[in-house]
Amino acid sequence: MPLENGPREKLLKEGPQALSTEELLAILLRTGTKNKDVLTVAKEIFEQNGKSLYKLSRATVQDLRKVKGLGMVKIVTLIAALEIAKRLAKEEVKNSEGPLNSPEKVFRYCLDMQNFPQEVVRVIFLDSKLRIIGSSDISRGTLTTSIAHPRDVFREALVRNAHGVIIVHNHPSGDPTPSADDIEITKRLIEAGKVLGVTVHDHVIIGCTYYSIVQRLK
């Protein structure tokens, strides 16, 4: 049996959960090169990205083109598969019919923000049972007082008759640790929400993992 068919046969016999990440990547790549089998190419890609799907998901087309043996078809296939994984995680949270009541759920809902090259502020609108009504990216750029102004955060919340909101923004560096400005802006938004009758349930920072500022303030 050709080595290229090994991971596929294993998946059919034992299920996808039995495969290593490298073997799953090999299935996406389909074929190797003249001098390397597909599993070797998959291992090289994974190792060059620190054996981290998070790092691989942040790789650009230009980054992946540096890997010998990766043509544009393979690159596009990898990027598409990783994007599908993020959208699946978001859909699972949205369709769970449960409340968005933890920063972990917020993180899963906002996985796409990990790849944003600049800071983006997102507002998630919630009903009285903490179920998602919708979300909106209200600004791009450095998180400052002018960008994350209460009027921009709460304008659509009032139009949607939202009972509460969760503020989310990303740190492109991957480090979700909040700055002093992040914390002060959160305090301002919480107070503004009280005046308007819209509860700010959390402010979550997205990086390689997540950070809940509201949990820190408790």
Side-chain angles (χ1 to χ4, degrees), residues 143-158:
L143 183 63
T144 64
T145 302
S146 60
I147 289 179
H149 195 281
R151 66 171 173 264
D152 299 317
V153 172
F154 293 108
R155 181 185 294 115
E156 191 170 347
L158 295 173

Side-chain angles (χ1 to χ4, degrees), residues 7-93:
R8 300 175 200 166
E9 293 296 323
K10 184 176 179 180
L11 186 149
L12 291 172
K13 291 179 180 179
E14 303 178 36
Q17 68 281 353
L19 275 67
S20 66
T21 301
E22 292 93 333
E23 289 173 322
L24 291 170
L25 290 173
I27 290 176
L28 292 173
L29 297 176
R30 296 183 62 193
T31 60
T33 66
K34 182 178 180 180
N35 301 316
K36 297 178 184 177
D37 60 72
V38 66
L39 196 52
T40 298
V41 175
K43 287 180 178 178
E44 287 183 359
I45 294 170
F46 200 43
E47 288 172 358
Q48 288 181 24
N49 286 277
K51 293 188 175 182
S52 167
L53 284 174
Y54 166 71
K55 291 183 179 179
L56 181 57
S57 72
R58 290 173 62 88
T60 64
V61 171
Q62 290 71 28
D63 294 331
L64 293 174
R65 289 187 69 179
K66 296 175 185 177
V67 180
K68 192 173 182 179
L70 272 192
M72 195 55 66
V73 172
K74 289 182 170 63
I75 290 172
V76 169
T77 300
L78 285 175
I79 292 175
L82 291 164
E83 178 62 24
I84 287 173
K86 294 173 191 173
R87 295 187 185 189
L88 173 61
K90 183 173 185 176
E91 189 173 322
E92 285 178 337
V93 174

Side-chain angles (χ1 to χ4, degrees), residues 9-214:
E9 293 296 323
K10 184 176 179 180
L11 186 149
L12 291 172
K13 291 179 180 179
E14 303 178 36
Q17 68 281 353
L19 275 67
S20 66
T21 301
E22 292 93 333
E23 289 173 322
L24 291 170
L25 290 173
I27 290 176
L28 292 173
L29 297 176
R30 296 183 62 193
T31 60
T33 66
K34 182 178 180 180
N35 301 316
K36 297 178 184 177
D37 60 72
V38 66
L39 196 52
T40 298
V41 175
K43 287 180 178 178
E44 287 183 359
I45 294 170
F46 200 43
E47 288 172 358
Q48 288 181 24
N49 286 277
K51 293 188 175 182
S52 167
L53 284 174
Y54 166 71
K55 291 183 179 179
L56 181 57
S57 72
R58 290 173 62 88
T60 64
V61 171
Q62 290 71 28
D63 294 331
L64 293 174
R65 289 187 69 179
K66 296 175 185 177
V67 180
K68 192 173 182 179
L70 272 192
M72 195 55 66
V73 172
K74 289 182 170 63
I75 290 172
V76 169
T77 300
L78 285 175
I79 292 175
L82 291 164
E83 178 62 24
I84 287 173
K86 294 173 191 173
R87 295 187 185 189
L88 173 61
K90 183 173 185 176
E91 189 173 322
E92 285 178 337
V93 174
K94 188 174 182 179
N95 295 339
S96 65
E97 297 184 355
L100 193 66
N101 57 359
S102 73
E104 180 183 0
K105 288 183 179 180
V106 175
F107 175 66
R108 288 168 55 204
Y109 184 76
C110 297
L111 274 178
D112 60 311
M113 298 181 75
Q114 286 185 324
N115 286 345
F116 291 173
Q118 59 185 156
E119 289 191 9
V120 173
V121 180
R122 175 174 296 173
V123 183
I124 303 174
F125 308 103
L126 306 171
D127 65 14
S128 60
K129 295 183 179 180
L130 301 183
R131 293 175 302 196
I132 299 171
I133 298 173
S135 64
S136 178
D137 294 351
I138 64 168
S139 67
R140 294 178 180 272
T142 304
L143 183 63
T144 64
T145 302
S146 60
I147 289 179
H149 195 281
R151 66 171 173 264
D152 299 317
V153 172
F154 293 108
R155 181 185 294 115
E156 191 170 347
L158 295 173
V159 171
R160 289 173 177 262
N161 197 29
H163 187 271
V165 297
I166 293 175
I167 314 301
V168 188
H169 86 275
N170 64 305
H171 281 178
S173 66
D175 180 2
T177 305
S179 66
D181 283 343
D182 293 336
I183 295 170
E184 287 305 310
I185 289 169
T186 303
K187 292 178 180 178
R188 286 186 57 222
L189 292 173
I190 290 173
E191 293 305 313
K194 289 178 181 178
V195 174
L196 295 169
V198 180
T199 303
V200 176
H201 293 285
D202 207 344
H203 180 178
V204 178
I205 302 175
I206 304 293
C208 57
T209 181
Y210 60 87
Y211 192 104
S212 166
I213 294 180
V214 168

